[in-house]
Amino acid sequence: MAEQAPERAGRRGRGGGGAARRAERTGPKLEFARFIERNVPNFEILNEEALEIIEYNAETVLEEIGVNFVENPAALERWRQAGADVQGERVRIPRGLARQLCATAPSQFTQHARNSERNVVIGGKNLVLAPVYGPPFVRDLNGGRRYATIADFRNFVKLGQMSKWLHHSGGTVCEPTDVPVNKRHLDMLYAHMTLSDKPFMGSVTEPSRAADSVEMAKVLFGDQFVDDNTVMTSLVNINSPLTFDSVMMGALEVYAAANQACIISPFIVGGAMAPVSVAGTLTQVLAEVLAGVAYSQLIRPGAPVIFGAFVTSIDMNSGAPTFGTPEAAQITLGAGQLARRLNLPYRSAGSFCGSKLPDAQAAYETANSLNIGLLSGVNFMLHACGWLEGGLVSSYEKFVMDADQLGVLHRLAAGIDMSENGQGMDAIREVGPGGHYLGCAHTQANFKDAFWKTSVLDYKPFETWEEEGARDTVALASARVQKMLGEYQPPAIDPGVVEALDAFVAKKKAAEPDSFM
Amino acid sequence: MAEQAPERAGRRGRGGGGAARRAERTGPKLEFARFIERNVPNFEILNEEALEIIEYNAETVLEEIGVNFVENPAALERWRQAGADVQGERVRIPRGLARQLCATAPSQFTQHARNSERNVVIGGKNLVLAPVYGPPFVRDLNGGRRYATIADFRNFVKLGQMSKWLHHSGGTVCEPTDVPVNKRHLDMLYAHMTLSDKPFMGSVTEPSRAADSVEMAKVLFGDQFVDDNTVMTSLVNINSPLTFDSVMMGALEVYAAANQACIISPFIVGGAMAPVSVAGTLTQVLAEVLAGVAYSQLIRPGAPVIFGAFVTSIDMNSGAPTFGTPEAAQITLGAGQLARRLNLPYRSAGSFCGSKLPDAQAAYETANSLNIGLLSGVNFMLHACGWLEGGLVSSYEKFVMDADQLGVLHRLAAGIDMSENGQGMDAIREVGPGGHYLGCAHTQANFKDAFWKTSVLDYKPFETWEEEGARDTVALASARVQKMLGEYQPPAIDPGVVEALDAFVAKKKAAEPDSFM
């Protein structure tokens, strides 16, 4: 089992301290699970020949077609010096060069949290789960669909902190649209740093905001700690096909230089930003990631990065992206194999769905993606809970519904206990033909931890369920959201650190006028 | 792709004939998919050592503890003659004997349908999908939850016939509670035989009803055809733990003697009918299936059988069975490996859920089971659509929702097209950095079949969806149910066969008084 006992006082970053330890001893018990360490194999959908074809084709794309680094003369110069053929903004990379540059990227890395018990190791057999990222809207059962605010943002950070199976606080859990665009990142980071003690993500919407993120992290963790350790993992999208814009690359340059981690992730709606075929999409994904990761290593060899693949298919009737589809599953599985052959941590899958409501469609699509994500060897799953309506909406109810299902992944990944106790021969001997196991010694000794337990779903008899109001999953989840927000208590933090963070945010906010563009 | 062109006139069993061929040429086109032939590997959760432990332990169970064959002196005599140690009703089977007896069971077999285009091959890399089996209640959006009637039964057979991704008409798609218990099987078989041309299941509720099933099949297919071919696959449950009752064994005896197929299937709520541990449950499942399949081969060596595993876990608070859980997934995966090592076709997984409504809970649980079922190498998936409320309810809406998701399984199982067209290099060359693929030649040539298409789910923009009534999945599915039942047309059948079936049913019904017990 990948679960771990609740936190003990012990080693920790600067953010914790004595107050935190006291709070831990006296506060209400908060259950949390350690990141998943898989004890099951990965599912390998592509054979060796297919993998070699895709790898060969990706190198052909880089060499013949190349990639564009847009409005970024420094990047072009770096590529030229590395041996690429640069013409205008087009960078053609000789066969083998990108893969060679990728070799300095670590196969796994630790992202530190201010509570060291929440540190995550990204890569290897591990799976780290982080919440939904990016939606401008939120939805809940009572309030319906509306623009997200900073109050919503804080609520989602609190729900993340309270969610046992979630290892990471994420980044833009929703867009706080009531805060000026050029100051949002400060309030978002402040919320993650103070309302959660799980690891978090930095801003990527401007290179200067990435720099602010690093500075704020230094306030929280201390300058030296951030110089020596990775404390943020941030999301750098590639403008597929084959285009690296200066905003995202600027953020990558800041983070890589500071030894902070980035997910380098093609953002693909298949059929629009990549070929309609799975193998063609995998080829483009690999070419793009090779170029992006290689570029990160040109900034700083050894900078931690993640092989990303955000891939959906398209509904050819409406042009809408579609989720939880078999094509997305195949790409997720295949890209995992490609990432492992590059020795890179892998990011894909999530609570993806196209549905407008947290209904059966949403759940089919999400479960398809979550299951395939686990089996494809994903190491970092962004959007692991709360995603709705193609990523336009963060759903309160779906956040806790999905987060509950993440427990299923933990248990499945733990593999099958083949110990003598797991074999259960004594139980079979004790019970014998025609008996039943409920009262036998083996059941008594094991029943408490024998099965994954839901915190949301209903198993009651029909009559009881009906008497209790015949609630569907959304109604049950709504009640759980209220309960969790009601019981939330902020994790202990050194008041001096909070003061310093307050001062940093105030200074930054005062330094420029508000902008909502 | 495992899809096949719509039926052509051609070879067929007696049930079709000239009228059927004419109807096919003039009737409305009915899309259907051939059974899945996997082009992807199975997921192997257990390593060799674990498999050997479970196999060793299962033999220990058979040898030391044994199984009970209840109220069945003939079975005890067969076991004695085969070399088992029989004491009272307890049958202890020497190590290796059951496995040796199982060796005569075929690794795959063809189940014939009256339309030979609907024949299914059960075993190997194939997956045959059949609908829900057994619920005494039905539910739909307008009518709510109520006792099932023969009218409901006929509706579900019609929906099954209309469902593209469903290969099999199933058996007791719901219990027609308005028909006397001792005559139900006649009306159910009549509905499958006349309203569908897909393969179906026989009755197992009394040995005499199994015999009636074989007789009715002979009316439909002809005596000689049924003697020579398998035309029914029926569900024989084992009373776990380790008990074989005379009703189920009586049905098995009838079918095996007639060379008709049976699923031999432990029915296990883990923690109640088997140990609370996964490895312990797998051990008991294997022991039970070994004994059951061996017994089928004592009746008739070579009789077609399927290694069944119906396994859920239990909610230790309420005692209710739970579905779509990680423990069930592990057992489904492990049992698939055990079945393959026995060279037997494998039955497991389905649209399992504990939810009272076809809501998100139902869909999470169902999608978990469907995905794992595909990857575990299931050859025959009973309950592949329509299951609700722990099997108490056949849901009209969930039937079409799940049946739609079965298309996802088809596509995922087809594997990744690595042809030159699939590689899509021309598309990447044509579009280049910063372009888009919607209009490119490769997309134009491939978009129609590039992606799985839903018949139920909604991908429309939020505004359109809202204008159309903001319907959830159940509302969308309800509309689809009405449309399918409205458009249903019975498959052509020789009127002489119908007359003969009518006469058979009338004679059988007249022969004994109604019983509702």
Side-chain angles (χ1 to χ4, degrees), chain A residues 69 122 311 370 380 384 489:
Chain A
F69 275 73
I122 299 174
V311 179
L370 293 181
F380 187 82
Q489 295 202 1

mmCIF file of all heavy atoms in Angstrom, chain A residues 69 122 311 370 380 384 489:
data_model
loop_
_atom_site.group_PDB
_atom_site.id
_atom_site.type_symbol
_atom_site.label_atom_id
_atom_site.label_comp_id
_atom_site.label_asym_id
_atom_site.label_seq_id
_atom_site.Cartn_x
_atom_site.Cartn_y
_atom_site.Cartn_z
ATOM 1 N N PHE A 69 10.712 28.919 -33.048
ATOM 2 C CA PHE A 69 10.831 29.653 -31.782
ATOM 3 C C PHE A 69 10.518 31.114 -32.106
ATOM 4 O O PHE A 69 11.305 31.795 -32.750
ATOM 5 C CB PHE A 69 12.221 29.477 -31.165
ATOM 6 C CG PHE A 69 12.338 28.236 -30.332
ATOM 7 C CD1 PHE A 69 12.406 26.979 -30.920
ATOM 8 C CD2 PHE A 69 12.350 28.310 -28.941
ATOM 9 C CE1 PHE A 69 12.488 25.820 -30.152
ATOM 10 C CE2 PHE A 69 12.443 27.167 -28.156
ATOM 11 C CZ PHE A 69 12.509 25.923 -28.768
ATOM 12 N N ILE A 122 8.794 12.930 -8.354
ATOM 13 C CA ILE A 122 8.131 12.851 -9.666
ATOM 14 C C ILE A 122 9.036 12.089 -10.627
ATOM 15 O O ILE A 122 10.155 12.524 -10.908
ATOM 16 C CB ILE A 122 7.819 14.272 -10.185
ATOM 17 C CG1 ILE A 122 6.861 14.979 -9.211
ATOM 18 C CG2 ILE A 122 7.221 14.202 -11.592
ATOM 19 C CD1 ILE A 122 6.586 16.438 -9.549
ATOM 20 N N VAL A 311 -3.664 15.667 -24.737
ATOM 21 C CA VAL A 311 -4.188 15.314 -26.048
ATOM 22 C C VAL A 311 -5.657 14.951 -25.952
ATOM 23 O O VAL A 311 -6.048 14.129 -25.120
ATOM 24 C CB VAL A 311 -3.406 14.119 -26.632
ATOM 25 C CG1 VAL A 311 -3.970 13.735 -27.982
ATOM 26 C CG2 VAL A 311 -1.929 14.468 -26.762
ATOM 27 N N LEU A 370 -8.753 8.434 -16.189
ATOM 28 C CA LEU A 370 -8.021 8.117 -14.953
ATOM 29 C C LEU A 370 -7.443 6.699 -15.006
ATOM 30 O O LEU A 370 -6.275 6.479 -14.653
ATOM 31 C CB LEU A 370 -8.931 8.246 -13.730
ATOM 32 C CG LEU A 370 -9.421 9.649 -13.356
ATOM 33 C CD1 LEU A 370 -10.290 9.582 -12.095
ATOM 34 C CD2 LEU A 370 -8.280 10.630 -13.154
ATOM 35 N N PHE A 380 2.985 12.438 -13.319
ATOM 36 C CA PHE A 380 2.368 13.656 -12.770
ATOM 37 C C PHE A 380 1.055 13.843 -13.502
ATOM 38 O O PHE A 380 1.035 14.036 -14.722
ATOM 39 C CB PHE A 380 3.284 14.862 -12.987
ATOM 40 C CG PHE A 380 2.810 16.121 -12.299
ATOM 41 C CD1 PHE A 380 3.076 16.344 -10.952
ATOM 42 C CD2 PHE A 380 2.081 17.080 -12.989
ATOM 43 C CE1 PHE A 380 2.639 17.494 -10.307
ATOM 44 C CE2 PHE A 380 1.632 18.239 -12.355
ATOM 45 C CZ PHE A 380 1.918 18.443 -11.007
ATOM 46 N N ALA A 384 -6.283 16.107 -12.148
ATOM 47 C CA ALA A 384 -6.736 14.800 -11.669
ATOM 48 C C ALA A 384 -8.118 14.854 -11.024
ATOM 49 O O ALA A 384 -8.763 13.818 -10.852
ATOM 50 C CB ALA A 384 -5.726 14.212 -10.683
ATOM 51 N N GLN A 489 -9.160 23.583 8.331
ATOM 52 C CA GLN A 489 -8.306 24.407 9.196
ATOM 53 C C GLN A 489 -6.990 24.631 8.470
ATOM 54 O O GLN A 489 -6.416 23.684 7.926
ATOM 55 C CB GLN A 489 -8.043 23.694 10.515
ATOM 56 C CG GLN A 489 -9.304 23.501 11.335
ATOM 57 C CD GLN A 489 -8.979 23.307 12.809
ATOM 58 O OE1 GLN A 489 -7.810 23.344 13.198
ATOM 59 N NE2 GLN A 489 -10.006 23.140 13.615
#
